[in-house]
Amino acid sequence: MEKSIIVENLGKKYDINKLKKDTQFREALINFAKQLLFRDQENMEVVWALKNVSFSVEKGEIVGIIGRNGAGKSTLLKILSKITYPTTGRMKIEGRVGSLLEVGTGFHDELSGRENIFLNGSILGMKKKEVSRKLDQIISFAEVEKFIDTPIKRYSTGMRLKLGFSVAAHLETDILFIDEVLAVGDVAFQKKCLDTIKELRNSGRTVLFVSHSIPTVESLCPRVIWIDKGEVREDGAVEEITNNYMSQFATVKHATGFDLTKAFEREGTGEIRFTKIEYLNADGTPKNLIRSGDSLKVRIHYRVHQSVSNPDFNFRIYTERGGKVASFGNLILGDNLSMLSLGVGYADIEIDNLNIMPDRYFINLWVYGNKEIEYIDHLVFCSTLDVEASNYYKTGRGIDKGCGITFLQYKWNFSNNSLGENSINQ
């Protein structure tokens, strides 16, 4: 396949001292004195925003770039867009490049929206006739018809974003760099942007897409590059890389489970004691990343100090403020245990769909004896359950905790008598 972008050992170094601005004459004198006295230390104040970055992108690929704040994602796109230049390495870009790196990048505040569209086209090397053919589409998509002849400086942030994205998406470029454009703007416009980027898959255009929204990246990009501390940490299939990336945010205790043997707040008669909680995949391996809608196996370890007949085990999920979310008890299902013998054991709770919103939750555990009069063991908020956003409906719009505590799988069915029967599943 033909390569659109080739990056080899790219690095970008910033001298912190040169970035400092002298706002007053006194500060200038002080800094000058520091330079004379501490020349050796000054040379050490260097930050590498990117280091040894290498990758290639084939023509027509849509590649996501993910990473924490300050990882170097935006610096990479600025170098590829030739807004800034690398300190080390080389790059080769084949084709006409369009960029939307910040809201309104490339706009001249004193020019109108219409004039800025033609300005952007000329920067890309397009003739006026070529831009004119796209003009109506750009204006319509941006929804700024009434203000197209108003100076850009009068536009709101949302209006500048809409026009900026519309220009970048509709002008005839071979490669498009997009940096967090979906972080601003209303929901309807965000959906238009997503749909437009999806359409680019079939247009043969190459897209590098930077975003902190993992569900959006998963919806748009078959391939993802993870930038960490200025270097390429992983590069590969979207599901594998995003899962690895999100796993770093999960509670470290998830890897080995939650040790309950030293739990401070517990009560009960003590014939049975809970010792550990694990969150597992179906095959029994640790589930370091838990997302809304996932299946989940909760393994509860215990030690029996004295035989107990017909115990009632319970596992309950709470919100951070103490609201009950869900309860799981073996007797509710009719799973009666005639007798638990002395020794260690564990019980698994298998949840087909963890239909709760992204958030941190807390766990209570308890076990009753055969008469449910008193606790044998009872632990309050003994572990956490961190649930991350997911791309459950494959639309790029992550399940948002602002919608409530839980979500239910659903579909919409529309019937319009004037247009005939339609069924739309979501």
Side-chain angles (χ1 to χ4, degrees), residues 346-362:
Y346 64 81
D348 288 342
I349 303 170
E350 297 182 1
I351 303 171
D352 293 333
N353 299 98
L354 190 67
N355 293 335
I356 55 180
M357 297 299 181
D359 209 342
R360 167 164 283 190
Y361 298 90
F362 292 84

PDB file of all heavy atoms in Angstrom, residues 346-362:
ATOM      1  N   TYR A 346     -14.334 -20.281  47.616  1.00  0.00           N
ATOM      2  CA  TYR A 346     -14.737 -19.032  46.972  1.00  0.00           C
ATOM      3  C   TYR A 346     -16.073 -19.229  46.276  1.00  0.00           C
ATOM      4  O   TYR A 346     -16.483 -20.359  45.979  1.00  0.00           O
ATOM      5  CB  TYR A 346     -13.680 -18.524  45.982  1.00  0.00           C
ATOM      6  CG  TYR A 346     -13.431 -19.415  44.783  1.00  0.00           C
ATOM      7  CD1 TYR A 346     -14.275 -19.384  43.669  1.00  0.00           C
ATOM      8  CD2 TYR A 346     -12.332 -20.267  44.753  1.00  0.00           C
ATOM      9  CE1 TYR A 346     -14.040 -20.191  42.571  1.00  0.00           C
ATOM     10  CE2 TYR A 346     -12.087 -21.077  43.666  1.00  0.00           C
ATOM     11  CZ  TYR A 346     -12.943 -21.039  42.568  1.00  0.00           C
ATOM     12  OH  TYR A 346     -12.707 -21.843  41.482  1.00  0.00           O
ATOM     13  N   ALA A 347     -16.761 -18.111  46.055  1.00  0.00           N
ATOM     14  CA  ALA A 347     -18.033 -18.117  45.337  1.00  0.00           C
ATOM     15  C   ALA A 347     -17.948 -17.109  44.208  1.00  0.00           C
ATOM     16  O   ALA A 347     -17.397 -16.009  44.381  1.00  0.00           O
ATOM     17  CB  ALA A 347     -19.176 -17.764  46.279  1.00  0.00           C
ATOM     18  N   ASP A 348     -18.458 -17.467  43.033  1.00  0.00           N
ATOM     19  CA  ASP A 348     -18.443 -16.581  41.868  1.00  0.00           C
ATOM     20  C   ASP A 348     -19.839 -16.012  41.605  1.00  0.00           C
ATOM     21  O   ASP A 348     -20.828 -16.754  41.617  1.00  0.00           O
ATOM     22  CB  ASP A 348     -17.987 -17.323  40.617  1.00  0.00           C
ATOM     23  CG  ASP A 348     -16.501 -17.645  40.636  1.00  0.00           C
ATOM     24  OD1 ASP A 348     -15.779 -17.009  41.434  1.00  0.00           O
ATOM     25  OD2 ASP A 348     -16.064 -18.517  39.860  1.00  0.00           O
ATOM     26  N   ILE A 349     -19.897 -14.720  41.365  1.00  0.00           N
ATOM     27  CA  ILE A 349     -21.121 -14.080  40.877  1.00  0.00           C
ATOM     28  C   ILE A 349     -20.877 -13.740  39.418  1.00  0.00           C
ATOM     29  O   ILE A 349     -19.953 -12.979  39.096  1.00  0.00           O
ATOM     30  CB  ILE A 349     -21.429 -12.791  41.660  1.00  0.00           C
ATOM     31  CG1 ILE A 349     -21.556 -13.082  43.156  1.00  0.00           C
ATOM     32  CG2 ILE A 349     -22.703 -12.142  41.146  1.00  0.00           C
ATOM     33  CD1 ILE A 349     -21.630 -11.826  44.001  1.00  0.00           C
ATOM     34  N   GLU A 350     -21.664 -14.288  38.518  1.00  0.00           N
ATOM     35  CA  GLU A 350     -21.485 -14.051  37.087  1.00  0.00           C
ATOM     36  C   GLU A 350     -22.548 -13.073  36.603  1.00  0.00           C
ATOM     37  O   GLU A 350     -23.740 -13.379  36.598  1.00  0.00           O
ATOM     38  CB  GLU A 350     -21.551 -15.368  36.327  1.00  0.00           C
ATOM     39  CG  GLU A 350     -20.423 -16.327  36.722  1.00  0.00           C
ATOM     40  CD  GLU A 350     -20.458 -17.630  35.934  1.00  0.00           C
ATOM     41  OE1 GLU A 350     -21.350 -17.773  35.062  1.00  0.00           O
ATOM     42  OE2 GLU A 350     -19.609 -18.496  36.202  1.00  0.00           O
ATOM     43  N   ILE A 351     -22.093 -11.881  36.212  1.00  0.00           N
ATOM     44  CA  ILE A 351     -22.981 -10.811  35.746  1.00  0.00           C
ATOM     45  C   ILE A 351     -22.871 -10.724  34.231  1.00  0.00           C
ATOM     46  O   ILE A 351     -21.794 -10.449  33.697  1.00  0.00           O
ATOM     47  CB  ILE A 351     -22.594  -9.469  36.397  1.00  0.00           C
ATOM     48  CG1 ILE A 351     -22.625  -9.593  37.918  1.00  0.00           C
ATOM     49  CG2 ILE A 351     -23.516  -8.354  35.926  1.00  0.00           C
ATOM     50  CD1 ILE A 351     -22.058  -8.383  38.648  1.00  0.00           C
ATOM     51  N   ASP A 352     -23.973 -10.972  33.538  1.00  0.00           N
ATOM     52  CA  ASP A 352     -23.944 -10.968  32.072  1.00  0.00           C
ATOM     53  C   ASP A 352     -23.699  -9.577  31.506  1.00  0.00           C
ATOM     54  O   ASP A 352     -22.933  -9.409  30.559  1.00  0.00           O
ATOM     55  CB  ASP A 352     -25.262 -11.529  31.510  1.00  0.00           C
ATOM     56  CG  ASP A 352     -25.430 -13.006  31.816  1.00  0.00           C
ATOM     57  OD1 ASP A 352     -24.402 -13.695  31.974  1.00  0.00           O
ATOM     58  OD2 ASP A 352     -26.575 -13.466  31.915  1.00  0.00           O
ATOM     59  N   ASN A 353     -24.388  -8.580  32.039  1.00  0.00           N
ATOM     60  CA  ASN A 353     -24.242  -7.202  31.564  1.00  0.00           C
ATOM     61  C   ASN A 353     -24.187  -6.271  32.767  1.00  0.00           C
ATOM     62  O   ASN A 353     -25.166  -6.153  33.506  1.00  0.00           O
ATOM     63  CB  ASN A 353     -25.408  -6.790  30.664  1.00  0.00           C
ATOM     64  CG  ASN A 353     -25.520  -7.650  29.424  1.00  0.00           C
ATOM     65  OD1 ASN A 353     -26.311  -8.578  29.385  1.00  0.00           O
ATOM     66  ND2 ASN A 353     -24.730  -7.351  28.419  1.00  0.00           N
ATOM     67  N   LEU A 354     -23.066  -5.610  32.940  1.00  0.00           N
ATOM     68  CA  LEU A 354     -22.915  -4.668  34.045  1.00  0.00           C
ATOM     69  C   LEU A 354     -23.507  -3.330  33.609  1.00  0.00           C
ATOM     70  O   LEU A 354     -22.807  -2.425  33.163  1.00  0.00           O
ATOM     71  CB  LEU A 354     -21.437  -4.514  34.409  1.00  0.00           C
ATOM     72  CG  LEU A 354     -21.143  -3.738  35.689  1.00  0.00           C
ATOM     73  CD1 LEU A 354     -21.649  -4.506  36.909  1.00  0.00           C
ATOM     74  CD2 LEU A 354     -19.656  -3.464  35.820  1.00  0.00           C
ATOM     75  N   ASN A 355     -24.813  -3.228  33.755  1.00  0.00           N
ATOM     76  CA  ASN A 355     -25.530  -2.082  33.200  1.00  0.00           C
ATOM     77  C   ASN A 355     -25.577  -0.901  34.170  1.00  0.00           C
ATOM     78  O   ASN A 355     -26.632  -0.447  34.586  1.00  0.00           O
ATOM     79  CB  ASN A 355     -26.961  -2.490  32.819  1.00  0.00           C
ATOM     80  CG  ASN A 355     -26.944  -3.474  31.664  1.00  0.00           C
ATOM     81  OD1 ASN A 355     -26.004  -3.503  30.885  1.00  0.00           O
ATOM     82  ND2 ASN A 355     -27.975  -4.279  31.558  1.00  0.00           N
ATOM     83  N   ILE A 356     -24.395  -0.406  34.533  1.00  0.00           N
ATOM     84  CA  ILE A 356     -24.300   0.792  35.358  1.00  0.00           C
ATOM     85  C   ILE A 356     -23.387   1.786  34.658  1.00  0.00           C
ATOM     86  O   ILE A 356     -22.548   1.411  33.837  1.00  0.00           O
ATOM     87  CB  ILE A 356     -23.789   0.483  36.784  1.00  0.00           C
ATOM     88  CG1 ILE A 356     -22.460  -0.271  36.749  1.00  0.00           C
ATOM     89  CG2 ILE A 356     -24.831  -0.283  37.564  1.00  0.00           C
ATOM     90  CD1 ILE A 356     -21.908  -0.594  38.134  1.00  0.00           C
ATOM     91  N   MET A 357     -23.583   3.063  34.972  1.00  0.00           N
ATOM     92  CA  MET A 357     -22.870   4.124  34.288  1.00  0.00           C
ATOM     93  C   MET A 357     -21.414   4.199  34.745  1.00  0.00           C
ATOM     94  O   MET A 357     -21.061   3.726  35.820  1.00  0.00           O
ATOM     95  CB  MET A 357     -23.550   5.476  34.557  1.00  0.00           C
ATOM     96  CG  MET A 357     -24.968   5.546  34.027  1.00  0.00           C
ATOM     97  SD  MET A 357     -25.005   5.328  32.233  1.00  0.00           S
ATOM     98  CE  MET A 357     -26.771   5.487  31.924  1.00  0.00           C
ATOM     99  N   PRO A 358     -20.549   4.809  33.930  1.00  0.00           N
ATOM    100  CA  PRO A 358     -19.151   4.979  34.336  1.00  0.00           C
ATOM    101  C   PRO A 358     -19.058   5.779  35.639  1.00  0.00           C
ATOM    102  O   PRO A 358     -19.623   6.861  35.751  1.00  0.00           O
ATOM    103  CB  PRO A 358     -18.550   5.784  33.172  1.00  0.00           C
ATOM    104  CG  PRO A 358     -19.439   5.502  32.008  1.00  0.00           C
ATOM    105  CD  PRO A 358     -20.811   5.331  32.580  1.00  0.00           C
ATOM    106  N   ASP A 359     -18.366   5.233  36.623  1.00  0.00           N
ATOM    107  CA  ASP A 359     -18.214   5.908  37.907  1.00  0.00           C
ATOM    108  C   ASP A 359     -17.425   4.981  38.834  1.00  0.00           C
ATOM    109  O   ASP A 359     -17.098   3.850  38.470  1.00  0.00           O
ATOM    110  CB  ASP A 359     -19.584   6.227  38.524  1.00  0.00           C
ATOM    111  CG  ASP A 359     -19.558   7.469  39.412  1.00  0.00           C
ATOM    112  OD1 ASP A 359     -18.454   7.870  39.822  1.00  0.00           O
ATOM    113  OD2 ASP A 359     -20.635   8.027  39.682  1.00  0.00           O
ATOM    114  N   ARG A 360     -17.152   5.474  40.029  1.00  0.00           N
ATOM    115  CA  ARG A 360     -16.574   4.626  41.068  1.00  0.00           C
ATOM    116  C   ARG A 360     -17.692   4.204  42.017  1.00  0.00           C
ATOM    117  O   ARG A 360     -18.441   5.036  42.522  1.00  0.00           O
ATOM    118  CB  ARG A 360     -15.479   5.356  41.834  1.00  0.00           C
ATOM    119  CG  ARG A 360     -15.053   4.639  43.118  1.00  0.00           C
ATOM    120  CD  ARG A 360     -13.746   5.139  43.661  1.00  0.00           C
ATOM    121  NE  ARG A 360     -12.641   4.582  42.883  1.00  0.00           N
ATOM    122  CZ  ARG A 360     -11.355   4.682  43.248  1.00  0.00           C
ATOM    123  NH1 ARG A 360     -11.023   5.323  44.343  1.00  0.00           N
ATOM    124  NH2 ARG A 360     -10.403   4.154  42.498  1.00  0.00           N
ATOM    125  N   TYR A 361     -17.761   2.899  42.272  1.00  0.00           N
ATOM    126  CA  TYR A 361     -18.770   2.346  43.162  1.00  0.00           C
ATOM    127  C   TYR A 361     -18.085   1.657  44.350  1.00  0.00           C
ATOM    128  O   TYR A 361     -16.882   1.363  44.300  1.00  0.00           O
ATOM    129  CB  TYR A 361     -19.658   1.351  42.412  1.00  0.00           C
ATOM    130  CG  TYR A 361     -20.420   1.978  41.265  1.00  0.00           C
ATOM    131  CD1 TYR A 361     -19.877   2.030  39.983  1.00  0.00           C
ATOM    132  CD2 TYR A 361     -21.678   2.533  41.465  1.00  0.00           C
ATOM    133  CE1 TYR A 361     -20.569   2.623  38.935  1.00  0.00           C
ATOM    134  CE2 TYR A 361     -22.379   3.120  40.420  1.00  0.00           C
ATOM    135  CZ  TYR A 361     -21.812   3.163  39.157  1.00  0.00           C
ATOM    136  OH  TYR A 361     -22.496   3.759  38.131  1.00  0.00           O
ATOM    137  N   PHE A 362     -18.883   1.393  45.398  1.00  0.00           N
ATOM    138  CA  PHE A 362     -18.353   0.766  46.600  1.00  0.00           C
ATOM    139  C   PHE A 362     -19.150  -0.496  46.926  1.00  0.00           C
ATOM    140  O   PHE A 362     -20.328  -0.605  46.584  1.00  0.00           O
ATOM    141  CB  PHE A 362     -18.396   1.758  47.773  1.00  0.00           C
ATOM    142  CG  PHE A 362     -17.443   2.904  47.595  1.00  0.00           C
ATOM    143  CD1 PHE A 362     -17.808   4.013  46.842  1.00  0.00           C
ATOM    144  CD2 PHE A 362     -16.177   2.861  48.141  1.00  0.00           C
ATOM    145  CE1 PHE A 362     -16.936   5.069  46.648  1.00  0.00           C
ATOM    146  CE2 PHE A 362     -15.286   3.911  47.961  1.00  0.00           C
ATOM    147  CZ  PHE A 362     -15.670   5.018  47.219  1.00  0.00           C
TER     148      PHE A 362
END
